[in-house]
Amino acid sequence: MNVDALLMSIPPAGVYAVVAVVVGLESLGIPLPGEITLVAAAILASHHELAVAPLWVGLAGAAGAIIGDSIGYEIGHAQGWRLLKAVRRRFPKHVNPETLAFATWTFHRYGPLAVFGGRFVALLRILSGPLSGTLKLPYRVFLPANALGGLVWALGTTYAVYYLGQAAQHALKEAAWAGLAAFVVAALAASTLLRRSMDRRVHAFAATHPDEVRAADEASRA
């Protein structure tokens, strides 16, 4: 069962819960399709007969993002690199010395801006909370950036998809679902391109900063 089918099979309160849980677990450091789940729920909200409210979808996504990142921060603050070692072992494709070195450099250089901006980038979205805690970024600095990023990302994504869905239904009438499917495919394609662009940046960073990669490798193995 795909995300769309799952969300259509449960009541609105269940949709909000699924969005909050999936986004929260992704923010905790587990590579799950948080953004896809949020987009799918926003598409459902654009169909009023399903009684899914876009505001609650966005707030559920924001709550999941803020709480998940905060839990990840606290675990990272307490466990340090041991947490990232466990994540690296479980999800080596997503968390490896190159990505850890790039993310660490980004958070050291940009601090709270990296926390805020990281919410919009898949790689940094997964590592934001745990890595901020591991690097001992003060929580009073982390929380405002995390909360603002979560709210802007979740509500912005939800309402952008919601209004596009409304426009598609109005313009396409009977073909609205096909139009929405095409929109989702286009959005996923754009997300894929952004991820590949990030991968290229990570590889380029690793090639020019071998010492940072080696340090991240040693730290996440300790």
Side-chain angles (χ1 to χ4, degrees), residues 179-219:
L180 286 172
F183 168 76
V184 172
V185 170
L188 291 176
S191 178
T192 299
L193 290 175
L194 287 173
R195 187 176 67 251
R196 290 178 178 175
S197 175
M198 177 58 66
D199 288 342
R200 288 194 294 270
R201 291 183 64 186
V202 169
H203 293 321
F205 176 86
T208 55
H209 296 76
D211 291 341
E212 284 84 345
V213 174
R214 185 161 45 251
D217 183 33
E218 292 174 354

Side-chain angles (χ1 to χ4, degrees), residues 33-139:
E35 192 166 44
I36 293 175
T37 302
L38 184 67
V39 167
I43 290 174
L44 294 183
S46 70
H47 292 264
H48 291 174
E49 66 273 15
L50 299 177
V52 176
L55 177 60
W56 286 108
V57 170
L59 290 177
I66 296 168
I67 294 171
D69 273 339
S70 293
I71 294 173
Y73 173 94
E74 292 297 338
I75 297 175
H77 192 271
Q79 297 296 320
W81 285 100
R82 286 191 295 274
L83 169 64
L84 295 173
K85 176 183 177 181
V87 175
R88 173 185 172 180
R89 186 169 58 248
R90 183 67 181 85
F91 306 105
K93 180 179 178 181
H94 300 275
V95 181
N96 51 59
E98 290 79 13
T99 59
L100 286 174
F102 177 78
T104 300
W105 175 84
T106 300
F107 278 78
H108 271 308
R109 181 170 184 179
Y110 297 106
L113 289 177
V115 176
F116 174 83
R119 173 49 52 183
F120 302 87
V121 181
L123 168 63
L124 299 181
R125 186 161 59 241
I126 295 171
L127 294 174
S128 179
L131 191 57
S132 293
T134 298
L135 298 178
K136 309 303 182 185
L137 181 69
Y139 190 68

Side-chain angles (χ1 to χ4, degrees), residues 131-176:
L131 191 57
S132 293
T134 298
L135 298 178
K136 309 303 182 185
L137 181 69
Y139 190 68
R140 67 180 183 278
V141 175
F142 170 81
L143 182 58
N146 172 47
L148 183 60
L151 285 167
V152 172
W153 171 76
L155 290 172
T157 299
T158 297
Y159 275 99
V161 173
Y162 172 78
Y163 285 120
L164 284 171
Q166 291 280 288
Q169 288 189 76
H170 179 74
L172 300 173
K173 295 182 171 55
E174 293 82 3

